């Protein structure tokens, strides 16, 4: 590991998602999914980190972390508890939370859809029913009309590729479907909704007098797919197309590509993202498999690479190559909207953080416009199917007592946020092997 220096205007932060930390909301699809017993450790998002009642305490954690920016999401089911009925109480709650960030010099980046949805939306057919995306767009309008004066940076959707794959192909997430045709339908609906939301956010903020300062994007889960055999290489290309390309082209260029359905969508050549949000975690080796239910491929680890607690390969060079690839293709600023490690003992987190940031610094040095890094995540939280078993937090969270304790990796990250560099002294103090 070598020391690095990040540009002065580079912002470092943390990322969270409402469902994973807030607790207390029964009006969303994930609560129902937990009640139905789908979570590996039997836990439920109803507890999470009780963040809804601990906003001030958790803002203190952010202050201690020295972050310049924080990415958080809004819970649609709280803001719109019934179709067409909005809660001024919920929006006020979020307004206060956002104001607290701003007051403390922390720039908010707000996600409108991070996997969870109101139960009523799902009961009305969700994204599978044509026309339902208007509900999402009404919610977007309401939010921007109420928070758009405070927040200039928005993410419409978090990881639409993961959302459609797990919820509509593998049946592992709500709503639990296993149909390719459904996933294609949802994917095209989400792309169209993103394009419209992009325009809505810009136009409302323009009416408010904030023209020129608004930035709207999305956060895409990007993996490195690699093949070691001929078939593996071919399948990696296919995986890259179906998992990344379809979404990137759709969301950035409003270009609905095969096999998605254009159905009523008018393509206007323009750009519908002011930045590209990349959530980067790992690399997968792809091999051919005879199983049609697994779309004729299997995914395996690389025995040579170190793993996180969930068995994911740690491959820091990947963040360098994905940033370069998408910057060269679209020439839009890159935000790393998520990157982190499940590491309960914290034995790998310091190295993980530094090696990924070192690769970012290298790409920036070569002219790649990477402007932000959001570490996933502030504190251990409700990790979807893995429940409370995963430990991605810079702070450990004891879910019984709700006590938060900073991990050594958290201390190191707070120093990096403050200094915008990694020094030899920091390496001596925090890194096991340089
Ligand atoms: C998601 C987060 C999740 C993280 C770790 C990302 O795919 O956006 O919500 O907790 O990965 O699995």
């Amino acid at each position: 590991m070598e020391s690095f220096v990040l540009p002065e205007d580079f912002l470092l932060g943390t990322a969270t998602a409402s469902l994973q930390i807030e607790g207390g909301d029964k009006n969303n699809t994930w609560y129902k999914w937990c009640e139905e017993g789908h979570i590996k450790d039997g836990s439920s998002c109803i507890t999470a980190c009780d963040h809804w009642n601990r906003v001030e305490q958790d803002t203190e954690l952010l202050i201690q972390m020295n972050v310049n920016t924080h990415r958080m999401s809004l819970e649609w089911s709280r803001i719109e508890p019934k179709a067409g009925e909005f809660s001024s109480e919920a929006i006020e709650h979020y307004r206060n939370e956002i104001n607290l960030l701003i007051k403390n010099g922390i720039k908010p980046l707000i996600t409108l859809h991070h996997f969870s949805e109101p139960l009523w939306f799902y009961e009305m057919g969700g994204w599978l029913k044509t026309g339902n995306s208007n509900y999402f767009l009404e919610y977007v309008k309401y939010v921007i009309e109420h928070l758009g004066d405070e927040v200039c940076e928005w993410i419409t959707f978090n990881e639409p590729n993961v959302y459609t794959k797990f919820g509509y192909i593998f049946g592992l997430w709500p709503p639990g479907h296993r149909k390719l045709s459904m996933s294609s339908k949802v994917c095209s609906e989400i792309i169209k909704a993103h394009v419209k939301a992009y325009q809505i956010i810009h136009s409302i903020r323009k009416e408010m007098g904030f023209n020129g300062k608004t930035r709207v994007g999305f956060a895409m889960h990007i993996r490195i797919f690699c093949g070691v055999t001929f078939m593996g290489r071919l399948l990696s290309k296919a995986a890259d197309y179906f998992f990344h390309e379809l979404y990137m082209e759709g969301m950035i260029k409003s270009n609905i590509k095969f096999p998605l359905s254009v159905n009523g969508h008018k393509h206007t050549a323009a750009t519908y993202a002011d930045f590209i949000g990349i959530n980067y975690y790992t690399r997968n080796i792809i091999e051919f498999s005879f199983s049609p239910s697994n779309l004729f491929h299997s995914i395996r680890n690389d025995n040579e690479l170190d793993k996180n607690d969930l068995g994911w390969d740690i491959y820091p060079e990947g963040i360098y190559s994905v940033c370069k690839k998408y910057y060269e293709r679209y020439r839009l600023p890159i935000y790393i909207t998520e990157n982190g490690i499940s590491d309960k003992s914290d034995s790998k987190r310091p190295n993980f953080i530094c090696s990924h940031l070192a690769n970012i610094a290298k790409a920036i040095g070569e002219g790649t416009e990477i402007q932000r890094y959001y570490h996933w995540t502030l504190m251990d939280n409700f990790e979807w199917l893995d429940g409370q078993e995963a430990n991605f937090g810079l702070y450990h969270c004891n879910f019984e007592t709700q006590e938060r304790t900073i991990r050594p990796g958290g201390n190191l990250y707070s120093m990096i946020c403050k200094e915008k560099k990694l020094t030899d002294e920091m390496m001596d103090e925090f890194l096991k092997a340089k």
Side-chain angles (χ1 to χ4, degrees):
M1 180 83 58
E2 284 187 15
S3 57
F4 58 77
V5 181
L6 292 159
E8 243 329 283
D9 57 355
F10 186 85
L11 299 190
L12 290 131
T14 37
T16 56
S18 50
L19 192 281
Q20 294 180 269
I21 58 171
E22 284 178 352
D25 178 37
K26 296 187 174 179
N27 192 25
N28 67 72
T29 42
W30 270 90
Y31 172 71
K32 182 165 177 276
W33 197 246
C34 297
E35 286 296 284
E36 289 168 359
H38 296 286
I39 311 306
K40 287 185 193 157
D41 64 356
S43 62
S44 165
C45 58
I46 199 66
T47 328
C49 310
D50 191 33
H51 171 74
W52 186 257
N53 299 309
R54 294 166 189 267
V55 169
E56 291 191 4
Q57 179 188 346
D58 292 340
T59 308
E60 284 301 320
L61 304 185
L62 290 168
I63 296 169
Q64 205 182 325
M65 198 49 65
N66 292 313
V67 293
N68 323 120
T69 177
H70 178 61
R71 175 183 171 215
M72 57 175 265
S73 76
L74 308 178
E75 197 57 41
W76 180 6
S77 60
R78 286 190 191 270
I79 293 177
E80 191 175 2
K82 288 190 187 144
E85 277 182 31
F86 293 93
S87 158
S88 50
E89 210 182 296
I91 207 79
E92 222 17 60
H93 174 99
Y94 285 123
R95 199 177 169 82
N96 290 337
E97 180 166 1
I98 288 165
N99 276 332
L100 208 53
L101 293 179
I102 297 172
K103 215 174 80 191
N104 285 291
I106 302 170
K107 192 177 176 60
L109 171 64
I110 308 291
T111 311
L112 290 153
H113 183 287
H114 195 126
F115 300 151
S116 54
E117 285 155 2
L119 267 179
W120 59 259
F121 180 71
Y122 157 75
E123 279 155 9
M124 288 166 108
W127 299 102
L128 291 170
K129 193 164 160 215
T130 307
N132 272 0
S133 58
N134 286 327
Y135 287 109
F136 174 73
L137 297 173
E138 284 304 316
Y139 151 71
V140 172
K141 249 192 219 157
Y142 180 84
V143 169
I144 308 305
E145 276 163 2
H146 289 80
L147 303 177
D149 58 331
E150 294 286 10
V151 180
C152 53
E153 301 205 343
W154 297 90
I155 286 180
T156 54
F157 289 92
N158 179 67
E159 300 190 347
N161 51 351
V162 170
Y163 170 84
T164 45
K165 189 170 175 186
F166 282 99
Y168 298 87
I169 301 182
F170 294 137
L172 294 169
W173 284 14
H177 295 304
R178 289 168 193 266
K179 247 194 176 167
L180 265 181
S181 58
M182 285 186 173
S183 117
S184 301
K185 165 80 179 164
V186 174
C187 174
S188 46
E189 288 299 311
I190 286 183
I191 288 173
K192 292 178 217 168
H194 163 79
V195 169
K196 288 192 181 138
Y198 176 91
Q199 291 164 306
I200 289 172
I201 300 170
H202 271 283
S203 100
I204 298 179
R205 292 238 327 144
K206 189 173 174 189
E207 274 168 36
M208 288 175 162
F210 299 113
N211 202 17
K213 289 194 179 143
T214 311
R215 275 189 166 190
V216 184
F218 54 90
M220 189 66 69
H221 187 102
I222 304 286
R223 279 180 186 230
I224 303 279
F225 292 128
C226 89
V228 283
T229 60
F230 174 71
M231 279 308 282
R233 280 191 286 276
L234 222 63
L235 285 160
S236 299
K237 284 218 157 61
D240 191 46
Y241 179 79
F242 287 106
F243 195 63
H244 302 136
E245 198 83 6
L246 278 186
Y247 297 83
M248 285 297 213
E249 272 297 296
M251 306 210 35
I252 299 176
K253 291 288 172 196
S254 168
N255 185 6
I256 304 230
K257 295 180 84 163
F258 173 81
L260 303 180
S261 126
V262 175
N263 202 1
H265 176 72
K266 284 197 207 82
H267 172 231
T268 317
T271 300
Y272 298 92
D274 305 310
F275 59 87
I276 301 177
I278 292 180
N279 295 355
Y280 174 78
Y281 287 89
T282 188
R283 177 178 87 159
N284 291 133
I285 296 179
I286 305 226
E287 282 173 349
F288 176 75
S289 140
F290 283 100
S291 156
S293 64
N294 221 10
L295 308 177
F296 297 100
H297 74 291
S298 65
I299 278 176
R300 73 164 170 86
N301 289 113
D302 182 341
N303 294 334
E304 303 286 307
L305 296 180
D306 217 353
K307 314 276 175 264
N308 76 5
D309 288 348
L310 303 176
W312 306 355
D313 284 353
I314 300 174
Y315 186 63
E317 298 81 359
I319 207 163
Y320 166 85
S321 47
V322 297
C323 289
K324 289 204 90 149
K325 170 175 166 181
Y326 289 108
Y327 181 67
E328 274 158 26
R329 183 170 307 167
Y330 294 109
R331 294 279 154 189
L332 288 168
I334 306 277
Y335 289 7
I336 297 301
T337 35
E338 284 181 34
N339 172 242
I341 176 169
S342 174
D343 178 24
K344 189 170 189 168
S345 66
D346 202 63
S347 58
K348 298 176 183 172
R349 186 171 284 102
N351 260 297
F352 182 97
I353 294 173
C354 295
S355 55
H356 285 77
L357 282 173
N359 274 285
I360 289 173
K362 179 175 161 203
I364 294 175
E366 293 169 9
T368 310
E369 209 184 321
I370 310 170
Q371 298 183 345
R372 309 271 178 95
Y373 174 85
Y374 292 88
H375 190 79
W376 186 268
T377 183
L378 181 63
M379 57 197 155
D380 295 342
N381 59 21
F382 172 80
E383 171 57 31
W384 313 111
L385 274 197
D386 289 295
Q388 296 175 346
E389 287 298 296
N391 294 266
F392 280 91
L394 293 165
Y395 288 82
H396 163 72
C397 175
N398 177 329
F399 295 106
E400 305 270 302
T401 61
Q402 289 300 344
E403 194 186 342
R404 284 90 158 114
T405 320
I406 197 160
R407 292 192 160 104
N411 279 321
L412 169 61
Y413 189 58
S414 86
M415 285 172 106
I416 297 178
C417 288
K418 191 168 174 201
E419 308 274 340
K420 298 200 177 166
K421 63 183 173 196
L422 176 72
T423 60
D424 287 343
E425 294 72 37
M426 292 180 198
M427 283 195 273
D428 287 342
E429 188 175 345
F430 291 99
L431 303 187
K432 298 235 160 68
K434 278 211 234 173

